[in-house]
């Protein structure tokens, strides 16, 4: 079986869920989440980008209502 062939119907039997609702493949836990950690500079850039995006969306509404 090539690596790009995907999963067969017979291999689907390897999936299960344990009593803690974790997804298992042939009895081993599958990692379904991971943590993301940002440096202070990356966090600053993310906040600045978010505020800029918010401002660019709110500004046209404020202008249309004559507030700005």
């Amino acid at each position: 079986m090539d690596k790009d062939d995907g999963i067969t119907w017979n291999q689907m039997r390897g999936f299960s869920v344990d009593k803690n609702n974790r997804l298992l493949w042939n009895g081993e836990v599958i990692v379904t989440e991971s943590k993301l950690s940002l440096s202070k500079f990356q966090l600053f850039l993310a906040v600045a980008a978010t505020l800029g995006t918010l401002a660019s969306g709110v500004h046209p509404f404020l202008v249309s209502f004559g507030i700005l």
Side-chain angles (χ1 to χ4, degrees):
M1 178 177 194
D2 274 357
K3 188 175 185 178
D4 296 324
D5 286 344
I7 189 169
T8 66
W9 284 107
N10 288 333
Q11 291 172 326
M12 292 290 288
R13 294 183 187 145
F15 285 111
S16 61
V17 178
D18 68 3
K19 64 182 179 180
N20 296 322
N21 293 325
R22 294 180 301 178
L23 182 61
L24 304 174
W25 169 257
N26 292 331
E28 295 183 31
V29 176
I30 296 176
V31 177
T32 56
E33 67 178 54
S34 60
K35 304 280 182 186
L36 176 66
S37 178
L38 299 177
S39 69
K40 288 182 181 181
F41 180 68
Q42 290 170 326
L43 183 60
F44 170 77
L45 287 179
V47 169
T50 301
L51 293 176
T53 303
L54 180 65
S56 69
V58 170
H59 180 264
F61 289 106
L62 296 178
V63 170
S64 68
F65 289 120
I67 297 172
L68 293 179

Tab-separated table of all heavy atoms in Angstrom:
chain	number	residue	atom	x	y	z
A	1	MET	N	0.842	-1.179	0.000
A	1	MET	CA	0.000	0.000	0.000
A	1	MET	C	0.882	1.235	0.000
A	1	MET	O	1.770	1.380	0.825
A	1	MET	CB	-0.910	-0.030	1.225
A	1	MET	CG	-1.785	1.152	1.360
A	1	MET	SD	-2.849	0.915	2.798
A	1	MET	CE	-4.007	2.182	2.490
A	2	ASP	N	0.642	2.151	-0.928
A	2	ASP	CA	1.393	3.402	-0.981
A	2	ASP	C	0.984	4.315	0.157
A	2	ASP	O	-0.126	4.227	0.681
A	2	ASP	CB	1.138	4.131	-2.303
A	2	ASP	CG	2.059	3.660	-3.408
A	2	ASP	OD1	2.922	2.819	-3.121
A	2	ASP	OD2	1.902	4.134	-4.535
A	3	LYS	N	1.874	5.209	0.509
A	3	LYS	CA	1.604	6.164	1.574
A	3	LYS	C	0.442	7.085	1.215
A	3	LYS	O	-0.308	7.521	2.064
A	3	LYS	CB	2.871	6.976	1.831
A	3	LYS	CG	2.795	7.864	3.034
A	3	LYS	CD	4.120	8.532	3.277
A	3	LYS	CE	4.085	9.323	4.544
A	3	LYS	NZ	5.345	9.954	4.842
A	4	ASP	N	0.230	7.366	-0.074
A	4	ASP	CA	-0.801	8.302	-0.505
A	4	ASP	C	-2.155	7.649	-0.746
A	4	ASP	O	-3.087	8.303	-1.182
A	4	ASP	CB	-0.347	9.016	-1.787
A	4	ASP	CG	0.876	9.877	-1.546
A	4	ASP	OD1	0.980	10.463	-0.458
A	4	ASP	OD2	1.711	9.950	-2.446
A	5	ASP	N	-2.268	6.340	-0.510
A	5	ASP	CA	-3.516	5.646	-0.795
A	5	ASP	C	-4.604	5.920	0.239
A	5	ASP	O	-5.758	5.588	0.014
A	5	ASP	CB	-3.283	4.132	-0.883
A	5	ASP	CG	-2.590	3.745	-2.176
A	5	ASP	OD1	-2.571	4.569	-3.105
A	5	ASP	OD2	-2.072	2.629	-2.247
A	6	GLY	N	-4.276	6.511	1.362
A	6	GLY	CA	-5.270	6.785	2.385
A	6	GLY	C	-5.557	5.568	3.243
A	6	GLY	O	-4.731	4.688	3.413
A	7	ILE	N	-6.774	5.501	3.746
A	7	ILE	CA	-7.165	4.437	4.656
A	7	ILE	C	-8.218	3.570	3.977
A	7	ILE	O	-9.077	4.070	3.253
A	7	ILE	CB	-7.693	5.028	5.981
A	7	ILE	CG1	-7.906	3.963	7.026
A	7	ILE	CG2	-8.913	5.872	5.773
A	7	ILE	CD1	-8.170	4.518	8.409
A	8	THR	N	-8.142	2.275	4.201
A	8	THR	CA	-9.123	1.356	3.618
A	8	THR	C	-10.264	1.142	4.600
A	8	THR	O	-10.164	1.483	5.786
A	8	THR	CB	-8.474	-0.001	3.294
A	8	THR	OG1	-8.080	-0.621	4.518
A	8	THR	CG2	-7.273	0.164	2.376
A	9	TRP	N	-11.350	0.560	4.083
A	9	TRP	CA	-12.490	0.286	4.957
A	9	TRP	C	-12.119	-0.707	6.055
A	9	TRP	O	-12.604	-0.610	7.179
A	9	TRP	CB	-13.665	-0.245	4.144
A	9	TRP	CG	-14.343	0.847	3.378
A	9	TRP	CD1	-14.277	1.065	2.046
A	9	TRP	CD2	-15.164	1.885	3.913
A	9	TRP	NE1	-14.997	2.183	1.708
A	9	TRP	CE2	-15.559	2.707	2.842
A	9	TRP	CE3	-15.603	2.204	5.188
A	9	TRP	CZ2	-16.369	3.813	3.011
A	9	TRP	CZ3	-16.413	3.313	5.352
A	9	TRP	CH2	-16.784	4.108	4.281
A	10	ASN	N	-11.257	-1.652	5.750
A	10	ASN	CA	-10.840	-2.629	6.761
A	10	ASN	C	-10.031	-1.971	7.869
A	10	ASN	O	-10.099	-2.382	9.032
A	10	ASN	CB	-10.035	-3.757	6.128
A	10	ASN	CG	-10.905	-4.683	5.309
A	10	ASN	OD1	-12.095	-4.817	5.587
A	10	ASN	ND2	-10.322	-5.300	4.307
A	11	GLN	N	-9.244	-0.945	7.526
A	11	GLN	CA	-8.452	-0.247	8.542
A	11	GLN	C	-9.317	0.634	9.433
A	11	GLN	O	-8.897	1.011	10.525
A	11	GLN	CB	-7.371	0.590	7.869
A	11	GLN	CG	-6.298	-0.249	7.208
A	11	GLN	CD	-5.357	0.600	6.387
A	11	GLN	OE1	-5.754	1.596	5.789
A	11	GLN	NE2	-4.091	0.199	6.368
A	12	MET	N	-10.515	0.954	8.990
A	12	MET	CA	-11.421	1.767	9.814
A	12	MET	C	-11.769	1.065	11.121
A	12	MET	O	-12.109	1.714	12.101
A	12	MET	CB	-12.712	2.082	9.041
A	12	MET	CG	-12.523	3.014	7.865
A	12	MET	SD	-12.141	4.680	8.359
A	12	MET	CE	-13.714	5.192	9.006
A	13	ARG	N	-11.660	-0.252	11.136
A	13	ARG	CA	-11.951	-1.004	12.365
A	13	ARG	C	-10.952	-0.692	13.477
A	13	ARG	O	-11.198	-0.988	14.641
A	13	ARG	CB	-11.943	-2.498	12.078
A	13	ARG	CG	-13.043	-2.921	11.166
A	13	ARG	CD	-13.034	-4.411	10.962
A	13	ARG	NE	-14.008	-4.749	9.935
A	13	ARG	CZ	-13.857	-5.714	9.060
A	13	ARG	NH1	-12.778	-6.472	9.090
A	13	ARG	NH2	-14.786	-5.943	8.172
A	14	GLY	N	-9.810	-0.116	13.120
A	14	GLY	CA	-8.794	0.234	14.108
A	14	GLY	C	-9.176	1.420	14.970
A	14	GLY	O	-8.603	1.647	16.025
A	15	PHE	N	-10.170	2.216	14.517
A	15	PHE	CA	-10.605	3.374	15.299
A	15	PHE	C	-11.534	2.947	16.412
A	15	PHE	O	-12.392	2.086	16.231
A	15	PHE	CB	-11.344	4.388	14.418
A	15	PHE	CG	-10.449	5.185	13.530
A	15	PHE	CD1	-10.469	5.011	12.161
A	15	PHE	CD2	-9.586	6.129	14.055
A	15	PHE	CE1	-9.660	5.741	11.334
A	15	PHE	CE2	-8.766	6.869	13.232
A	15	PHE	CZ	-8.794	6.680	11.868
A	16	SER	N	-11.376	3.577	17.573
A	16	SER	CA	-12.289	3.348	18.695
A	16	SER	C	-12.225	4.562	19.614
A	16	SER	O	-11.403	5.453	19.432
A	16	SER	CB	-11.910	2.078	19.460
A	16	SER	OG	-10.609	2.196	20.000
A	17	VAL	N	-13.100	4.575	20.587
A	17	VAL	CA	-13.156	5.647	21.578
A	17	VAL	C	-13.115	5.003	22.952
A	17	VAL	O	-13.851	4.047	23.221
A	17	VAL	CB	-14.443	6.492	21.411
A	17	VAL	CG1	-14.532	7.578	22.463
A	17	VAL	CG2	-14.516	7.095	20.014
A	18	ASP	N	-12.246	5.537	23.834
A	18	ASP	CA	-12.155	4.948	25.173
A	18	ASP	C	-13.174	5.582	26.108
A	18	ASP	O	-13.972	6.430	25.699
A	18	ASP	CB	-10.726	5.048	25.720
A	18	ASP	CG	-10.289	6.468	26.020
A	18	ASP	OD1	-11.099	7.411	25.867
A	18	ASP	OD2	-9.121	6.648	26.419
A	19	LYS	N	-13.157	5.174	27.375
A	19	LYS	CA	-14.147	5.660	28.344
A	19	LYS	C	-13.986	7.150	28.654
A	19	LYS	O	-14.903	7.772	29.163
A	19	LYS	CB	-14.081	4.839	29.637
A	19	LYS	CG	-12.771	4.962	30.383
A	19	LYS	CD	-12.772	4.096	31.617
A	19	LYS	CE	-11.431	4.223	32.325
A	19	LYS	NZ	-11.364	3.418	33.521
A	20	ASN	N	-12.810	7.729	28.323
A	20	ASN	CA	-12.586	9.167	28.508
A	20	ASN	C	-12.857	9.953	27.235
A	20	ASN	O	-12.480	11.111	27.115
A	20	ASN	CB	-11.148	9.424	28.971
A	20	ASN	CG	-10.878	8.824	30.329
A	20	ASN	OD1	-11.736	8.841	31.204
A	20	ASN	ND2	-9.696	8.269	30.507
A	21	ASN	N	-13.512	9.312	26.262
A	21	ASN	CA	-13.861	9.917	24.976
A	21	ASN	C	-12.657	10.367	24.164
A	21	ASN	O	-12.727	11.333	23.422
A	21	ASN	CB	-14.846	11.076	25.153
A	21	ASN	CG	-16.192	10.603	25.645
A	21	ASN	OD1	-16.647	9.524	25.277
A	21	ASN	ND2	-16.810	11.380	26.491
A	22	ARG	N	-11.540	9.655	24.315
A	22	ARG	CA	-10.365	9.924	23.483
A	22	ARG	C	-10.411	9.017	22.272
A	22	ARG	O	-10.800	7.859	22.366
A	22	ARG	CB	-9.076	9.690	24.267
A	22	ARG	CG	-8.882	10.662	25.415
A	22	ARG	CD	-7.603	10.393	26.146
A	22	ARG	NE	-7.630	9.001	26.655
A	22	ARG	CZ	-6.643	8.440	27.308
A	22	ARG	NH1	-5.534	9.088	27.542
A	22	ARG	NH2	-6.740	7.185	27.737
A	23	LEU	N	-9.997	9.549	21.125
A	23	LEU	CA	-9.965	8.765	19.896
A	23	LEU	C	-8.732	7.882	19.892
A	23	LEU	O	-7.623	8.336	20.150
A	23	LEU	CB	-9.946	9.710	18.687
A	23	LEU	CG	-9.959	9.066	17.308
A	23	LEU	CD1	-11.231	8.246	17.116
A	23	LEU	CD2	-9.845	10.134	16.236
A	24	LEU	N	-8.929	6.596	19.599
A	24	LEU	CA	-7.845	5.618	19.586
A	24	LEU	C	-7.705	5.020	18.191
A	24	LEU	O	-8.681	4.866	17.466
A	24	LEU	CB	-8.117	4.491	20.575
A	24	LEU	CG	-8.376	4.870	22.030
A	24	LEU	CD1	-8.763	3.642	22.826
A	24	LEU	CD2	-7.175	5.534	22.637
A	25	TRP	N	-6.479	4.687	17.826
A	25	TRP	CA	-6.190	3.951	16.592
A	25	TRP	C	-5.395	2.725	16.996
A	25	TRP	O	-4.279	2.833	17.482
A	25	TRP	CB	-5.398	4.824	15.621
A	25	TRP	CG	-4.847	4.087	14.456
A	25	TRP	CD1	-3.551	3.693	14.285
A	25	TRP	CD2	-5.545	3.639	13.306
A	25	TRP	NE1	-3.414	3.033	13.104
A	25	TRP	CE2	-4.634	2.983	12.474
A	25	TRP	CE3	-6.868	3.720	12.902
A	25	TRP	CZ2	-4.994	2.419	11.265
A	25	TRP	CZ3	-7.225	3.177	11.694
A	25	TRP	CH2	-6.292	2.535	10.893
A	26	ASN	N	-5.976	1.564	16.845
A	26	ASN	CA	-5.361	0.298	17.254
A	26	ASN	C	-4.883	0.348	18.706
A	26	ASN	O	-3.798	-0.102	19.034
A	26	ASN	CB	-4.214	-0.082	16.329
A	26	ASN	CG	-4.695	-0.433	14.941
A	26	ASN	OD1	-5.809	-0.912	14.776
A	26	ASN	ND2	-3.872	-0.190	13.956
A	27	GLY	N	-5.683	0.952	19.574
A	27	GLY	CA	-5.388	0.993	20.995
A	27	GLY	C	-4.494	2.139	21.442
A	27	GLY	O	-4.249	2.303	22.627
A	28	GLU	N	-3.984	2.954	20.508
A	28	GLU	CA	-3.117	4.076	20.865
A	28	GLU	C	-3.871	5.396	20.698
A	28	GLU	O	-4.619	5.576	19.739
A	28	GLU	CB	-1.874	4.091	19.976
A	28	GLU	CG	-0.982	2.882	20.185
A	28	GLU	CD	0.280	2.955	19.347
A	28	GLU	OE1	0.761	4.079	19.093
A	28	GLU	OE2	0.763	1.895	18.939
A	29	VAL	N	-3.653	6.314	21.633
A	29	VAL	CA	-4.332	7.607	21.608
A	29	VAL	C	-3.831	8.418	20.412
A	29	VAL	O	-2.640	8.505	20.149
A	29	VAL	CB	-4.070	8.384	22.920
A	29	VAL	CG1	-4.683	9.770	22.864
A	29	VAL	CG2	-4.607	7.616	24.110
A	30	ILE	N	-4.787	9.015	19.690
A	30	ILE	CA	-4.459	9.914	18.588
A	30	ILE	C	-4.486	11.334	19.133
A	30	ILE	O	-5.457	11.739	19.782
A	30	ILE	CB	-5.471	9.773	17.440
A	30	ILE	CG1	-5.397	8.373	16.859
A	30	ILE	CG2	-5.223	10.820	16.368
A	30	ILE	CD1	-6.420	8.112	15.785
A	31	VAL	N	-3.433	12.093	18.874
A	31	VAL	CA	-3.369	13.479	19.336
A	31	VAL	C	-4.311	14.306	18.471
A	31	VAL	O	-4.146	14.387	17.257
A	31	VAL	CB	-1.934	14.032	19.255
A	31	VAL	CG1	-1.900	15.487	19.667
A	31	VAL	CG2	-1.004	13.217	20.118
A	32	THR	N	-5.327	14.911	19.094
A	32	THR	CA	-6.306	15.705	18.356
A	32	THR	C	-6.250	17.180	18.727
A	32	THR	O	-7.048	17.965	18.254
A	32	THR	CB	-7.729	15.179	18.616
A	32	THR	OG1	-7.978	15.183	20.027
A	32	THR	CG2	-7.901	13.777	18.082
A	33	GLU	N	-5.308	17.548	19.583
A	33	GLU	CA	-5.150	18.958	19.942
A	33	GLU	C	-3.688	19.232	20.238
A	33	GLU	O	-2.922	18.339	20.566
A	33	GLU	CB	-6.001	19.344	21.139
A	33	GLU	CG	-5.567	18.691	22.435
A	33	GLU	CD	-6.403	19.142	23.617
A	33	GLU	OE1	-7.636	19.036	23.533
A	33	GLU	OE2	-5.804	19.605	24.593
A	34	SER	N	-3.306	20.471	20.077
A	34	SER	CA	-1.956	20.884	20.431
A	34	SER	C	-2.014	22.323	20.923
A	34	SER	O	-2.912	23.076	20.571
A	34	SER	CB	-1.007	20.754	19.238
A	34	SER	OG	-1.441	21.566	18.185
A	35	LYS	N	-1.072	22.696	21.710
A	35	LYS	CA	-1.022	24.036	22.288
A	35	LYS	C	-0.177	24.942	21.400
A	35	LYS	O	0.822	24.520	20.833
A	35	LYS	CB	-0.410	23.998	23.696
A	35	LYS	CG	-1.108	23.068	24.637
A	35	LYS	CD	-2.352	23.691	25.182
A	35	LYS	CE	-2.988	22.714	26.166
A	35	LYS	NZ	-4.239	23.136	26.655
A	36	LEU	N	-0.591	26.190	21.318
A	36	LEU	CA	0.140	27.193	20.554
A	36	LEU	C	0.710	28.199	21.536
A	36	LEU	O	-0.004	28.713	22.397
A	36	LEU	CB	-0.793	27.884	19.560
A	36	LEU	CG	-0.202	29.015	18.744
A	36	LEU	CD1	0.876	28.471	17.806
A	36	LEU	CD2	-1.271	29.702	17.952
A	37	SER	N	1.984	28.466	21.414
A	37	SER	CA	2.639	29.403	22.304
A	37	SER	C	3.280	30.506	21.464
A	37	SER	O	4.037	30.228	20.536
A	37	SER	CB	3.707	28.684	23.125
A	37	SER	OG	4.374	29.585	23.962
A	38	LEU	N	2.947	31.756	21.781
A	38	LEU	CA	3.492	32.893	21.058
A	38	LEU	C	4.483	33.648	21.933
A	38	LEU	O	4.297	33.761	23.146
A	38	LEU	CB	2.372	33.863	20.647
A	38	LEU	CG	1.294	33.333	19.717
A	38	LEU	CD1	0.233	34.404	19.489
A	38	LEU	CD2	1.885	32.880	18.401
A	39	SER	N	5.513	34.194	21.289
A	39	SER	CA	6.423	35.067	22.016
A	39	SER	C	5.709	36.400	22.264
A	39	SER	O	4.639	36.659	21.707
A	39	SER	CB	7.701	35.296	21.205
A	39	SER	OG	7.420	36.076	20.052
A	40	LYS	N	6.278	37.236	23.087
A	40	LYS	CA	5.650	38.533	23.388
A	40	LYS	C	5.521	39.380	22.134
A	40	LYS	O	4.505	40.047	21.927
A	40	LYS	CB	6.449	39.269	24.454
A	40	LYS	CG	6.310	38.651	25.820
A	40	LYS	CD	7.064	39.421	26.874
A	40	LYS	CE	6.908	38.741	28.221
A	40	LYS	NZ	7.596	39.450	29.295
A	41	PHE	N	6.523	39.359	21.268
A	41	PHE	CA	6.473	40.132	20.033
A	41	PHE	C	5.383	39.599	19.105
A	41	PHE	O	4.624	40.373	18.511
A	41	PHE	CB	7.833	40.102	19.327
A	41	PHE	CG	7.860	40.883	18.046
A	41	PHE	CD1	7.747	42.270	18.061
A	41	PHE	CD2	7.990	40.240	16.839
A	41	PHE	CE1	7.761	42.990	16.891
A	41	PHE	CE2	8.003	40.945	15.656
A	41	PHE	CZ	7.892	42.332	15.680
A	42	GLN	N	5.268	38.277	18.985
A	42	GLN	CA	4.228	37.688	18.148
A	42	GLN	C	2.842	38.006	18.698
A	42	GLN	O	1.911	38.277	17.929
A	42	GLN	CB	4.414	36.171	18.061
A	42	GLN	CG	5.624	35.756	17.273
A	42	GLN	CD	5.906	34.269	17.404
A	42	GLN	OE1	5.665	33.666	18.462
A	42	GLN	NE2	6.422	33.673	16.344
A	43	LEU	N	2.698	37.988	20.012
A	43	LEU	CA	1.429	38.341	20.638
A	43	LEU	C	1.088	39.801	20.365
A	43	LEU	O	-0.054	40.133	20.041
A	43	LEU	CB	1.482	38.067	22.140
A	43	LEU	CG	0.204	38.317	22.916
A	43	LEU	CD1	-0.931	37.442	22.387
A	43	LEU	CD2	0.427	38.053	24.397
A	44	PHE	N	2.081	40.686	20.455
A	44	PHE	CA	1.870	42.098	20.143
A	44	PHE	C	1.396	42.262	18.702
A	44	PHE	O	0.445	43.000	18.429
A	44	PHE	CB	3.163	42.893	20.378
A	44	PHE	CG	3.089	44.299	19.855
A	44	PHE	CD1	2.398	45.273	20.552
A	44	PHE	CD2	3.705	44.640	18.658
A	44	PHE	CE1	2.316	46.570	20.069
A	44	PHE	CE2	3.630	45.922	18.162
A	44	PHE	CZ	2.932	46.896	18.872
A	45	LEU	N	2.054	41.578	17.762
A	45	LEU	CA	1.661	41.670	16.354
A	45	LEU	C	0.248	41.133	16.131
A	45	LEU	O	-0.531	41.714	15.362
A	45	LEU	CB	2.648	40.902	15.475
A	45	LEU	CG	4.015	41.533	15.282
A	45	LEU	CD1	4.886	40.632	14.411
A	45	LEU	CD2	3.903	42.908	14.658
A	46	ALA	N	-0.108	40.059	16.798
A	46	ALA	CA	-1.445	39.485	16.653
A	46	ALA	C	-2.512	40.435	17.179
A	46	ALA	O	-3.557	40.628	16.546
A	46	ALA	CB	-1.526	38.141	17.377
A	47	VAL	N	-2.245	41.062	18.315
A	47	VAL	CA	-3.199	42.019	18.888
A	47	VAL	C	-3.306	43.243	17.993
A	47	VAL	O	-4.407	43.736	17.713
A	47	VAL	CB	-2.797	42.408	20.331
A	47	VAL	CG1	-3.618	43.582	20.837
A	47	VAL	CG2	-2.948	41.207	21.254
A	48	ALA	N	-2.175	43.752	17.493
A	48	ALA	CA	-2.190	44.912	16.605
A	48	ALA	C	-2.963	44.606	15.318
A	48	ALA	O	-3.754	45.438	14.848
A	48	ALA	CB	-0.766	45.347	16.280
A	49	ALA	N	-2.758	43.434	14.747
A	49	ALA	CA	-3.472	43.052	13.533
A	49	ALA	C	-4.970	42.922	13.797
A	49	ALA	O	-5.799	43.335	12.975
A	49	ALA	CB	-2.915	41.740	12.995
A	50	THR	N	-5.332	42.378	14.952
A	50	THR	CA	-6.739	42.240	15.309
A	50	THR	C	-7.395	43.598	15.484
A	50	THR	O	-8.494	43.845	14.970
A	50	THR	CB	-6.881	41.421	16.605
A	50	THR	OG1	-6.284	40.140	16.400
A	50	THR	CG2	-8.329	41.257	17.005
A	51	LEU	N	-6.730	44.495	16.184
A	51	LEU	CA	-7.281	45.841	16.378
A	51	LEU	C	-7.389	46.594	15.061
A	51	LEU	O	-8.362	47.308	14.817
A	51	LEU	CB	-6.429	46.614	17.382
A	51	LEU	CG	-6.467	46.091	18.823
A	51	LEU	CD1	-5.499	46.880	19.705
A	51	LEU	CD2	-7.876	46.133	19.376
A	52	GLY	N	-6.395	46.452	14.192
A	52	GLY	CA	-6.444	47.090	12.883
A	52	GLY	C	-7.581	46.564	12.036
A	52	GLY	O	-8.273	47.334	11.343
A	53	THR	N	-7.794	45.271	12.071
A	53	THR	CA	-8.896	44.666	11.325
A	53	THR	C	-10.237	45.139	11.868
A	53	THR	O	-11.143	45.473	11.098
A	53	THR	CB	-8.809	43.129	11.406
A	53	THR	OG1	-7.543	42.718	10.902
A	53	THR	CG2	-9.915	42.476	10.621
A	54	LEU	N	-10.370	45.192	13.170
A	54	LEU	CA	-11.596	45.677	13.793
A	54	LEU	C	-11.859	47.129	13.419
A	54	LEU	O	-12.975	47.497	13.050
A	54	LEU	CB	-11.512	45.513	15.310
A	54	LEU	CG	-12.724	45.975	16.112
A	54	LEU	CD1	-13.938	45.121	15.772
A	54	LEU	CD2	-12.435	45.912	17.595
A	55	ALA	N	-10.826	47.959	13.487
A	55	ALA	CA	-10.980	49.372	13.155
A	55	ALA	C	-11.366	49.558	11.688
A	55	ALA	O	-12.209	50.409	11.363
A	55	ALA	CB	-9.688	50.130	13.460
A	56	SER	N	-10.774	48.780	10.788
A	56	SER	CA	-11.104	48.926	9.367
A	56	SER	C	-12.529	48.467	9.068
A	56	SER	O	-13.118	48.878	8.079
A	56	SER	CB	-10.112	48.151	8.498
A	56	SER	OG	-10.271	46.761	8.673
A	57	GLY	N	-13.091	47.638	9.904
A	57	GLY	CA	-14.471	47.223	9.721
A	57	GLY	C	-15.470	48.177	10.357
A	57	GLY	O	-16.557	48.392	9.830
A	58	VAL	N	-15.106	48.766	11.482
A	58	VAL	CA	-16.007	49.658	12.204
A	58	VAL	C	-16.014	51.063	11.595
A	58	VAL	O	-17.061	51.722	11.556
A	58	VAL	CB	-15.613	49.713	13.702
A	58	VAL	CG1	-16.372	50.801	14.436
A	58	VAL	CG2	-15.858	48.359	14.350
A	59	HIS	N	-14.891	51.512	11.090
A	59	HIS	CA	-14.768	52.883	10.568
A	59	HIS	C	-15.829	53.235	9.522
A	59	HIS	O	-16.449	54.301	9.623
A	59	HIS	CB	-13.359	53.114	10.009
A	59	HIS	CG	-13.157	54.475	9.464
A	59	HIS	ND1	-13.301	54.752	8.126
A	59	HIS	CD2	-12.842	55.645	10.060
A	59	HIS	CE1	-13.077	56.027	7.915
A	59	HIS	NE2	-12.790	56.588	9.083
A	60	PRO	N	-16.089	52.393	8.504
A	60	PRO	CA	-17.117	52.758	7.520
A	60	PRO	C	-18.507	52.941	8.131
A	60	PRO	O	-19.274	53.802	7.687
A	60	PRO	CB	-17.119	51.593	6.529
A	60	PRO	CG	-15.790	50.953	6.687
A	60	PRO	CD	-15.393	51.167	8.115
A	61	PHE	N	-18.832	52.149	9.142
A	61	PHE	CA	-20.127	52.311	9.794
A	61	PHE	C	-20.206	53.626	10.556
A	61	PHE	O	-21.221	54.314	10.529
A	61	PHE	CB	-20.403	51.135	10.740
A	61	PHE	CG	-20.696	49.860	10.026
A	61	PHE	CD1	-19.761	48.843	9.984
A	61	PHE	CD2	-21.909	49.671	9.387
A	61	PHE	CE1	-20.031	47.671	9.312
A	61	PHE	CE2	-22.197	48.487	8.719
A	61	PHE	CZ	-21.235	47.483	8.675
A	62	LEU	N	-19.129	53.973	11.235
A	62	LEU	CA	-19.125	55.242	11.969
A	62	LEU	C	-19.237	56.424	11.016
A	62	LEU	O	-19.937	57.389	11.303
A	62	LEU	CB	-17.858	55.341	12.815
A	62	LEU	CG	-17.701	54.296	13.937
A	62	LEU	CD1	-16.386	54.494	14.663
A	62	LEU	CD2	-18.854	54.348	14.903
A	63	VAL	N	-18.579	56.357	9.874
A	63	VAL	CA	-18.651	57.431	8.880
A	63	VAL	C	-20.069	57.507	8.313
A	63	VAL	O	-20.628	58.594	8.148
A	63	VAL	CB	-17.625	57.209	7.754
A	63	VAL	CG1	-17.849	58.162	6.600
A	63	VAL	CG2	-16.207	57.364	8.304
A	64	SER	N	-20.685	56.363	8.006
A	64	SER	CA	-22.022	56.368	7.423
A	64	SER	C	-23.089	56.907	8.389
A	64	SER	O	-24.099	57.432	7.955
A	64	SER	CB	-22.414	54.967	6.947
A	64	SER	OG	-22.574	54.103	8.047
A	65	PHE	N	-22.844	56.798	9.689
A	65	PHE	CA	-23.770	57.356	10.666
A	65	PHE	C	-23.412	58.785	11.047
A	65	PHE	O	-24.044	59.379	11.906
A	65	PHE	CB	-23.813	56.479	11.922
A	65	PHE	CG	-24.495	55.169	11.731
A	65	PHE	CD1	-23.812	53.977	11.937
A	65	PHE	CD2	-25.819	55.094	11.335
A	65	PHE	CE1	-24.426	52.752	11.757
A	65	PHE	CE2	-26.453	53.879	11.150
A	65	PHE	CZ	-25.757	52.696	11.348
A	66	GLY	N	-22.382	59.336	10.432
A	66	GLY	CA	-21.990	60.714	10.673
A	66	GLY	C	-21.264	60.931	11.984
A	66	GLY	O	-21.136	62.059	12.451
A	67	ILE	N	-20.774	59.872	12.589
A	67	ILE	CA	-20.061	60.003	13.863
A	67	ILE	C	-18.637	60.500	13.633
A	67	ILE	O	-18.121	61.275	14.418
A	67	ILE	CB	-20.075	58.662	14.620
A	67	ILE	CG1	-21.518	58.290	14.957
A	67	ILE	CG2	-19.229	58.730	15.874
A	67	ILE	CD1	-21.699	56.920	15.538
A	68	LEU	N	-18.021	60.097	12.532
A	68	LEU	CA	-16.657	60.539	12.214
A	68	LEU	C	-16.669	61.470	11.030
A	68	LEU	O	-17.354	61.382	10.111
A	68	LEU	CB	-15.740	59.333	11.912
A	68	LEU	CG	-15.448	58.432	13.087
A	68	LEU	CD1	-14.556	57.271	12.624
A	68	LEU	CD2	-14.739	59.169	14.204
